[in-house]
Amino acid sequence: MKNFPGKIAIMGGGSWATALAKIVLYSQPHINWYMRRPDRIEDFKQLKHNPAYLPSVTFDISRITFYDDINQAVEKSDTLILATPSPYLKEHLSKMTVSLKRKYVISAIKGVVPDENMLINEYFIRNYGVHRKNIIVLTGACHAEEIAMEHLSYQTVACRDLKKAKKLSETIFSTSYLHSSCSKDMTGLEYISVLKNIYAIASGVCNGLKYGDNFQAIFIPNALNEMMRFVNRVDPKKRNIASAAYLSDLLVTSYSSFSRNRVFGKMIGEGIGVNAAKVELGMVAEGYYAVKCIYEINERYRVDMPILNALYSILYEKKIPTIEIRKLTELFK
């Protein structure tokens, strides 16, 4: 492990990938960076910032090697930081022929692999032969926009090998404006990072329906309890869901104006159709896809999840938000 993490590659061209590149370059002299669009790379080199996301963040281009070929990026790197939206992950990986068995994989993806209904760490273990102790998950209350502005933020680095988590926390994911903690609860934290997007959409729907702050104060504890029931059923383990590592991501994603999932939900609550809201948002709301995945996973576990069920009815069965949320409120305590 003495050479870990070795050469680091950022995999993705969105806002979170850009924020992560900024973080990594705080301590590392160089990164590789994979983006699928060569035109974006050329614009990036000329402008010295991402032409599509977080344009206020400027980069020293001499410290970055760009790739539009995923195989070249993987081959030239030891550690891959994945920051592509979960709905597009399989499409990106379908072009990859280079083995990942000797690579370290860091997932910053807060979603489930659609159709497979698998967490990101499980997907790489089963389909690409990545060793369990070589997969790391980044979670926590970090919006890319606030990282760009260097607002004080906190995140959790989770790995079954706690030594790797601590090394990353101390050398890569700690800056003057970012504090990192460590955990071995990779599965629990990854499920939390998926579920919080679902509840952020629901929070947004309620906001769009003009439910106020008093209601939101009741909504969050109910969402937290629902989250706890599901995670503890799927992955039974002693954990404190109310601690910062778990709760903070739910809070910021449900309340923040930077939360694309909350904004998406608000549009639904205001009467905008699902497809129109997706287009108007202009970015991927991971929670939309997570609703279907978790709903289908829960068909096996049968956990009591009224918020999830209400949101599934609204997004996938085209039920009227006003009616579904009103029925939901009657179940809250």
Side-chain angles (χ1 to χ4, degrees), residues 113-327:
V113 181
D115 302 323
E116 306 289 341
N117 289 348
M118 293 171 63
L119 293 176
I120 305 300
N121 83 81
E122 294 173 349
Y123 188 72
F124 278 92
I125 291 167
R126 295 187 187 183
N127 292 280
Y128 293 93
V130 181
H131 195 282
R132 288 183 181 275
K133 291 187 176 181
N134 289 344
I135 297 182
I136 299 96
V137 171
L138 297 183
T139 67
C142 289
H143 283 308
E145 294 82 359
E146 293 206 352
I147 293 294
M149 294 184 285
E150 300 189 1
H151 288 182
L152 184 59
S153 303
Y154 295 77
Q155 70 173 1
T156 301
V157 183
C159 182
R160 287 183 174 87
D161 183 347
L162 203 56
K163 289 182 180 179
K164 288 191 179 76
K166 288 180 178 178
K167 187 167 185 178
L168 287 173
S169 174
E170 293 169 358
T171 62
I172 305 296
F173 297 116
S174 288
T175 71
S176 60
Y177 53 88
L178 177 65
H179 295 179
S180 294
S181 58
C182 302
S183 174
K184 293 181 69 174
D185 187 16
M186 192 165 65
T187 297
L189 284 166
E190 194 168 4
Y191 265 122
I192 292 295
S193 70
V194 173
L195 290 163
K196 57 94 180 178
N197 286 331
I198 294 173
Y199 300 122
I201 292 179
S203 175
V205 172
C206 295
N207 184 256
L209 291 171
K210 305 301 182 185
Y211 285 86
D213 293 342
N214 291 345
F215 175 78
Q216 290 287 349
I218 295 301
F219 171 83
I220 293 297
N222 278 273
L224 183 64
N225 287 335
E226 184 168 310
M227 179 185 289
M228 179 173 61
R229 289 194 297 270
F230 179 82
V231 174
N232 288 342
R233 177 77 64 82
V234 174
D235 184 45
K237 190 177 294 182
K238 186 178 181 180
R239 55 172 67 90
N240 180 10
I241 298 290
S243 66
Y246 302 90
L247 177 59
S248 60
D249 217 356
L250 171 64
L251 293 176
V252 74
T253 313
S254 297
Y255 286 147
S256 175
S257 59
F258 289 127
S259 170
R260 64 187 67 175
N261 289 283
R262 185 179 188 276
V263 172
F264 175 76
K266 187 173 185 291
M267 288 191 283
I268 299 299
E270 291 172 344
I272 299 175
V274 171
N275 291 332
K278 287 161 68 176
V279 171
E280 187 172 332
L281 185 65
M283 297 182 289
V284 177
E286 296 264 14
Y288 170 75
Y289 302 92
V291 167
K292 186 173 186 291
C293 293
I294 297 297
Y295 184 87
E296 291 175 352
I297 291 171
N298 196 42
E299 289 180 338
R300 180 166 77 250
Y301 292 99
R302 301 293 180 183
V303 178
D304 180 29
M305 303 184 75
I307 300 174
L308 171 72
N309 295 338
L311 204 52
Y312 183 85
S313 296
I314 292 168
L315 297 181
Y316 288 93
E317 296 178 341
K318 299 182 179 180
K319 299 290 182 66
I320 299 172
T322 306
I323 296 174
E324 295 305 308
I325 297 300
R326 186 186 301 125
K327 290 191 293 186

